[in-house]
Amino acid sequence: MNSELLALLRSVPELIASSAFARGLVNLTLLTGLGLAAVAWPWRLSAAVRHRIAIATLLGALAIPAASFWMPSVRMPVLPPDWTAHPASVPALETATPAHPTLAHPTHATVDARVSESIESDRSTGLADTEAALAASPPAPASGWPLDANATLTFLLALPAVVLIARLARSLFAAHQLVRRSRASEHPSLQLELRNACERLGIRRSIELRESAELTVPVLYGMERARLLLPPSVLEWSAERRRAVLLHELAHVARRDTLSLLFTRLATALLWFHPLVWAMARHARMAAEQACDDVVLASGELASRYAEDLLAIARAADREGPADAVAPAFARRSTLERRLVAILTPAAPRGPATARATLSIGALAALLVGGLGSARVVAAPEPSTLPPRAAATSQPPFSGASSATELVASAFAPETSSDMARASSEPLASNEPLAGLSEARKTSNLDEKEDWRTGEKWFKSATGHYNEKRYAAAASEYLHAASSGYRIETAYYNAACSFALNDDADNALDALEHALDAGFDRPDLIGSDDDLDAIRRQRRFTVLLERARSTDHALARLRELISDYEVLHSRRSRNPDDWSHTGVQLMRAGEPTRAAAAFASQFAIDSSSTALYNQACAWALAGRRLFALDALERAVLAGFGNARSIADDDDLESLRGDRRFQRLVELTKELELSETSDSRSDGSKGWRQALQRYERVVREHPDLGRAWFNLGFARLRAGDPAGSAAAYERTIALGYRLPTSMYNLACAAAAQNRGDDAIAWLERAERSGFESSKFALSDPDLDALRTDARFRRLLDRWRLADRLEDEAHQAEKQKLHELEKHKGR
């Protein structure tokens, strides 16, 4: 019995080397190797896209056996004619054949590899010598071991899989028990933050918030019924840390990462013998965590602060529990280093996996699985049996198809129309204006004198009509200037602007296309020119704008802007104007993602609401609706107060149909700071009438610093300095516009003749960075302090600082003037 078992065990390598198992192993290796190459190759793929690739690869790995069984065989005779799959140590097949061979059906027979190969070949080619080949193999003696080699191999492969699946079931049970031992959270602040985070991520399912003393890090459990378990220390965290943790965990809910985590564990259990499967599963888990980190960063959280929070929570984690195998945890030490590096890399792509990318990944995985499952690598026929090769007369199949590399790259390209590649191959007309515009030409009242037929005079006359808002005449004459050969690309562009201002969209688009054909290469101007607002929402305009951005000059300019951005980042620039300028230029050049990062850097320096608003515009142009709405909300709460600009801004066009966008516009109107009366005889009357509105907004938004700031200003203007001081104290407590609020609180104190408090608040405002000298020198709200010696000393210091600043500025101008004179000599 033992000898028979040893013999069977020795035959396992033989069986592994046989064609069926070897083919499956090779296919599995090829597929997982390609998947790992795709996620590890230094392409600019976001973590969300890499996670999709990893999951698709694991799905394909599990589908390969079924594909091999169901897909039709495609023989690929690429091996040498004398190739055999059997090791050389196996005894050679006996060649003695009976005179009248009979078909044998041995049981428990060890068939030689050449016989099995000939059987497979016979089934494919229909040769008539199958029975002879089988009869040549004598039946093996009966064995007392109840399993043959195939069953032994199946048992050896299934045993570890059963053990791993049992461990997975134990983890599920441990997670379930952990949830049962936890208790529901009753803290209103946590519930409020949970609702806000769900709204920001668009999650409509109810999430149960629970607390567990057994945890040191947050853990998410469940799929359809998600439960978020928090450690008791969550109440000691800052509001920013709690918000970041909730956003991260709810991003797992939105992405259904608990299901993908369970699937990766099941895949590694079933394919435990392949190391590349384990590597792909680890990468899928890491990519899922990084994708959720990207959601947090895209919502506006500072990367440095989020990294600090992640590190602090990871330090508090003592160990990984048995439930961690099926429940995503916020911070694990095993993944901490790579996540921190990704978080602190500002240029890293952080976009979600679009529907197009997901479909492309799935289609490519299905093609690979189908191709690998149907391929059968066999030996080539003997040279002597090959017929003479016929000359190839037909075109190879799939001629002109994209390569695999192009196919993978196209899966993650931005969605563009095929019209973007369209360019006019016809030469630009030199004597005729834009075709199809005869009606527009009739509107020109230009005297047809000979000296006006030069393009320069046509152009000047058109500019005059444009300045007089006679746009139809201006458009016609700009076309005549272009047809005369004078500044062709500019003339066509100006004609497009004139047509657009005259609400002639078709002719405006035609003129813009001719401008591009003539070489107009200012995509930044096309993207921001208000004259083109009438055609900006049309699909053809988007196509032309993308075409302008794809010219060599525009791409070179874009590379320069990206280089400028990277220089600012490498130098850790603290100049908000540089970040703002670079962000605007990147946004207009068609790089909104980097533009959003530049505006985030600006906000980290100056905390301006304009930086947040520009970031919202950049995210909207990038198609990131959720991130755009988050940034816009933060901009409104930080003080951006022009509701009409928000509602009419073309950069926010993709948000207009969203109900949350409409609510933000309405909130902005409520928070705009203006009086309601048009009476000019009594300036305080209008503000008194407006007080009711500001008090209502404060009641509706008691935790909104901007609402209290507006109430404080309105009360001060309405003649209620005491109420103004109380409102500004609440504003400062909420951390809203601290330097300005301190200065305004000083004004309110001065109006109450509280000189000591007013001086103290002025000094605090100055230390906080408020430029008091620009306001205090002539502010009537501080008139009560004019006789105070301390206030006069402050004024003297501010005047001296202003004078020194002016002198330094004049000296710099004089230095530059002298330098220019020296160069002129």
Side-chain angles (χ1 to χ4, degrees):
M1 181 70 176
N2 292 337
S3 61
E4 293 168 354
L5 176 60
L6 290 175
L8 283 170
L9 292 177
R10 291 192 190 100
S11 68
V12 169
E14 264 181 47
L15 191 60
I16 292 177
S18 65
S19 59
F21 187 87
R23 182 172 64 248
L25 195 63
V26 169
N27 291 344
L28 180 60
T29 303
L30 287 174
L31 181 64
T32 52
L34 288 173
L36 283 173
V39 298
W41 195 263
W43 296 339
R44 298 192 59 80
L45 300 181
S46 66
V49 173
R50 287 187 279 111
H51 182 257
R52 291 284 195 278
I53 295 175
I55 295 299
T57 303
L58 292 175
L59 279 171
L62 292 177
I64 278 183
S68 300
F69 181 78
W70 290 105
M71 294 296 294
S73 299
V74 177
R75 297 172 59 81
M76 302 176 64
V78 297
L79 297 175
D82 58 347
W83 178 84
T84 60
H86 215 327
S89 59
V90 179
L93 181 67
E94 295 184 12
T95 57
T97 305
H100 301 285
T102 59
L103 187 62
H105 300 280
T107 58
H108 307 297
T110 304
V111 184
D112 185 62
R114 292 186 181 180
V115 176
S116 61
E117 181 181 338
S118 66
I119 294 172
E120 184 175 351
S121 177
D122 293 345
R123 289 173 181 170
S124 302
T125 59
L127 298 178
D129 52 352
T130 304
E131 295 183 0
L134 283 174
S137 178
S143 171
W145 179 251
L147 299 177
D148 61 4
N150 285 286
T152 303
L153 179 60
T154 303
F155 175 78
L156 293 177
L157 293 178
L159 182 60
V162 171
V163 173
L164 291 174
I165 292 176
R167 290 181 58 187
L168 181 60
R170 182 174 66 87
S171 297
L172 288 170
F173 180 75
H176 179 70
Q177 292 298 108
L178 180 63
V179 173
R180 289 189 60 184
R181 292 191 299 269
S182 63
R183 60 185 179 87
S185 175
E186 303 294 341
H187 297 284
S189 60
L190 290 178
Q191 295 292 341
L192 178 61
E193 291 174 352
L194 177 66
R195 288 195 298 271
N196 292 337
C198 287
E199 183 178 355
R200 293 176 71 177
L201 296 182
I203 298 176
R204 303 187 184 278
R205 293 184 292 160
S206 64
I207 310 296
E208 186 178 356
L209 202 60
R210 306 184 67 87
E211 295 181 14
S212 175
E214 303 177 46
L215 295 176
T216 56
V217 296
V219 171
L220 180 69
Y221 176 75
M223 285 171 272
E224 292 303 322
R225 183 186 173 191
R227 273 71 61 89
L228 178 56
L229 279 64
L230 299 174
S233 60
V234 66
L235 296 177
E236 302 173 2
W237 296 349
S238 64
E240 292 80 6
R241 179 178 297 182
R242 287 198 300 269
R243 182 171 63 246
V245 168
L246 288 175
L247 286 173
H248 179 96
E249 296 303 327
L250 292 180
H252 281 303
V253 175
R255 290 167 38 82
R256 299 185 180 273
D257 282 335
T258 50
L259 180 61
S260 66
L261 176 59
L262 184 62
F263 167 72
T264 57
R265 294 293 181 179
L266 184 62
T268 52
L270 295 176
L271 301 175
W272 60 269
F273 52 87
H274 205 294
L276 294 185
V277 173
W278 288 90
M280 184 58 73
R282 286 194 300 270
H283 193 95
R285 187 163 185 164
M286 170 65 71
E289 295 297 332
Q290 291 179 352
C292 295
D293 292 337
D294 292 343
V295 171
V296 176
L297 296 177
S299 68
E301 296 295 325
L302 292 178
S304 57
R305 184 169 60 194
Y306 180 57
E308 292 175 0
D309 292 339
L310 179 61
L311 184 60
I313 296 176
R315 286 173 176 170
D318 49 2
R319 61 185 179 84
E320 295 185 8
D324 290 351
V326 293
F330 178 74
R332 288 187 175 88
R333 295 185 179 183
S334 58
T335 63
L336 183 62
E337 181 178 356
R338 290 181 62 184
R339 287 177 63 187
L340 289 176
V341 170
I343 290 170
L344 297 174
T345 302
R350 306 192 186 279
T354 63
R356 178 182 180 182
T358 303
L359 290 175
S360 300
I361 293 170
L364 183 58
L367 287 174
L368 288 174
V369 171
L372 292 174
S374 61
R376 301 291 188 271
V377 178
V378 297
E382 294 291 341
S384 58
T385 62
L386 287 176
R389 183 180 300 272
T393 58
S394 60
Q395 294 294 330
F398 311 111
S399 60
S402 299
S403 65
T405 304
E406 293 171 339
L407 183 59
V408 173
S410 66
F412 314 107
E415 298 185 14
T416 58
S417 169
S418 60
D419 291 340
M420 289 183 184
R422 182 172 62 88
S424 175
S425 59
E426 299 179 2
L428 192 67
S430 58
N431 296 320
E432 287 295 329
L434 191 62
L437 302 178
S438 57
E439 292 298 323
R441 294 180 189 174
K442 295 178 182 179
T443 62
S444 174
N445 296 322
L446 185 67
D447 188 10
E448 300 290 340
K449 293 183 179 179
E450 186 66 24
D451 56 348
W452 280 76
R453 294 201 176 272
T454 63
E456 182 179 4
K457 291 189 176 182
W458 282 109
F459 193 96
K460 290 181 178 179
S461 177
T463 303
H465 287 308
Y466 174 89
N467 293 333
E468 296 170 0
K469 299 184 178 181
R470 299 173 58 191
Y471 299 121
S476 177
E477 292 168 8
Y478 277 128
L479 293 178
H480 281 289
S483 65
S484 300
Y486 179 76
R487 300 180 63 183
I488 299 175
E489 64 276 9
T490 304
Y492 274 128
Y493 177 78
N494 290 350
C497 294
S498 301
F499 278 125
L501 291 170
N502 199 44
D503 292 327
D504 189 350
D506 292 337
N507 284 331
L509 291 167
D510 288 341
L512 182 59
E513 184 169 6
H514 275 64
L516 297 181
D517 291 339
F520 191 80
D521 55 359
R522 289 288 307 278
D524 55 334
L525 183 58
I526 298 174
S528 60
D529 197 335
D530 294 338
D531 289 350
L532 300 176
D533 286 348
I535 62 174
R536 195 171 300 281
R537 300 178 186 179
Q538 297 201 20
R539 174 60 179 166
R540 186 180 170 194
F541 175 84
T542 304
V543 172
L544 293 175
L545 178 58
E546 291 299 328
R547 175 183 162 188
R549 288 171 174 169
S550 64
T551 62
D552 293 340
H553 181 271
L555 292 176
R557 174 58 180 160
L558 178 59
R559 287 192 292 270
E560 292 177 2
L561 291 173
I562 294 175
S563 177
D564 293 342
Y565 168 82
E566 292 175 348
V567 168
L568 290 177
H569 178 262
S570 63
R571 294 178 179 176
R572 300 180 182 274
S573 174
R574 301 294 300 172
N575 188 332
D577 293 336
D578 289 345
W579 284 111
S580 175
H581 175 76
T582 302
V584 171
Q585 295 295 319
L586 284 169
M587 185 165 60
R588 297 307 173 205
E591 191 69 18
T593 302
R594 281 193 176 88
F599 293 132
S601 299
Q602 177 194 352
F603 179 75
I605 300 170
D606 63 5
S607 301
S608 67
S609 60
T610 304
L612 291 174
Y613 179 77
N614 288 340
Q615 186 183 41
C617 294
W619 283 130
L621 291 173
R624 307 291 297 278
R625 182 181 57 84
L626 175 62
F627 296 160
L629 289 170
D630 286 343
L632 182 59
E633 180 178 2
R634 295 179 65 203
V636 171
L637 299 183
F640 192 84
N642 195 330
R644 185 172 181 179
S645 296
I646 296 175
D648 296 339
D649 197 333
D650 291 316
D651 291 339
L652 301 177
E653 172 65 24
S654 60
L655 307 181
R656 288 203 171 91
D658 194 288
R659 287 184 297 177
R660 184 180 170 192
F661 176 78
Q662 298 300 329
R663 290 198 301 267
L664 287 175
V665 173
E666 294 300 323
L667 178 61
T668 306
K669 291 179 181 177
E670 294 289 332
L671 294 174
E672 286 182 353
L673 192 59
S674 62
E675 57 181 321
T676 59
S677 173
D678 56 358
S679 175
R680 299 185 180 182
S681 58
D682 183 5
S684 62
K685 179 180 179 181
W687 290 106
R688 285 196 297 270
Q689 293 176 351
L691 276 179
Q692 185 177 3
R693 173 165 68 94
Y694 293 121
E695 290 171 350
R696 175 179 56 80
V697 175
V698 164
R699 288 194 301 269
E700 294 174 355
H701 306 279
D703 296 329
L704 191 57
R706 182 177 175 184
W708 286 100
F709 182 94
N710 292 349
L711 179 61
F713 188 88
R715 284 176 174 175
L716 186 61
R717 296 276 76 82
D720 181 14
S724 174
Y728 278 124
E729 287 173 358
R730 178 62 176 162
T731 303
I732 293 172
L734 292 172
Y736 178 76
R737 297 184 65 182
L738 292 179
T740 306
S741 297
M742 291 175 184
Y743 176 83
N744 289 349
L745 188 54
C747 295
Q752 300 176 73
N753 293 318
R754 294 190 290 115
D756 294 342
D757 292 340
I759 296 296
W761 282 114
L762 282 174
E763 291 175 344
R764 289 187 61 182
E766 184 182 16
R767 289 194 298 270
S768 299
F770 188 79
E771 298 181 357
S772 303
S773 60
K774 294 183 178 180
F775 301 92
L777 295 176
S778 58
D779 194 339
D781 290 334
L782 299 176
D783 286 347
L785 301 178
R786 303 293 173 186
T787 59
D788 192 310
R790 295 169 298 176
F791 183 69
R792 288 199 298 269
R793 285 195 294 271
L794 287 175
L795 292 178
D796 291 339
R797 187 171 76 243
W798 292 336
R799 290 191 184 98
L800 177 61
D802 286 346
R803 185 168 64 252
L804 293 176
E805 183 179 356
D806 290 341
E807 291 176 355
H809 182 66
Q810 292 297 329
E812 183 66 21
K813 289 180 61 177
Q814 182 64 26
K815 182 178 179 181
L816 292 175
H817 180 67
E818 294 294 334
L819 182 61
E820 291 296 330
K821 288 177 59 178
H822 180 71
K823 289 181 178 179
R825 295 175 183 174

